[in-house]
Amino acid sequence: LQDLPYLVSYFVDEVVTKNNLGPKALSAEVTEYIRSKTWKGNLRELKAFIRKAALLSDGDVITLESLRETGAGSTGGAEATY
């Protein structure tokens, strides 16, 4: 998916705007994790992952550590590995 970085950015912006959150960014490790997944559920699965990660992470950077702590990396019953 060539548009993946743009979609991720759009979904993060959408979540923070709709939920009155401060700006959020993804760490390099989270970006790599997103790129490594096949996203079998298409855009809905990606959007759900981004939404959960943004809502449950503390601070302005979504890290792998915050995903582990919140379980935000679990999508659609698939086992998450980070």
Side-chain angles (χ1 to χ4, degrees):
L1 246 160
Q2 295 176 346
D3 296 333
L4 190 60
Y6 302 106
L7 291 169
V8 169
S9 178
Y10 176 80
F11 291 148
V12 169
D13 290 344
E14 181 180 54
V15 171
V16 299
T17 300
K18 285 184 177 181
N19 294 280
N20 297 316
L21 303 173
K24 299 250 182 193
L26 302 175
S27 70
E29 294 86 7
V30 172
T31 301
E32 185 58 37
Y33 170 74
I34 290 170
R35 286 186 182 144
S36 73
K37 286 192 49 83
T38 56
W39 302 106
K40 294 179 184 179
N42 268 315
L43 294 179
R44 284 184 288 199
E45 183 182 5
L46 175 62
K47 185 176 182 177
F49 171 83
I50 295 296
R51 181 178 186 277
K52 190 173 181 182
L55 289 173
L56 297 177
S57 68
D58 291 331
D60 57 354
V61 177
I62 301 168
T63 64
L64 285 180
E65 187 64 29
S66 67
L67 295 179
R68 286 185 193 109
E69 289 173 358
T70 63
S74 301
T75 56
E79 193 65 34
T81 314
Y82 356 80

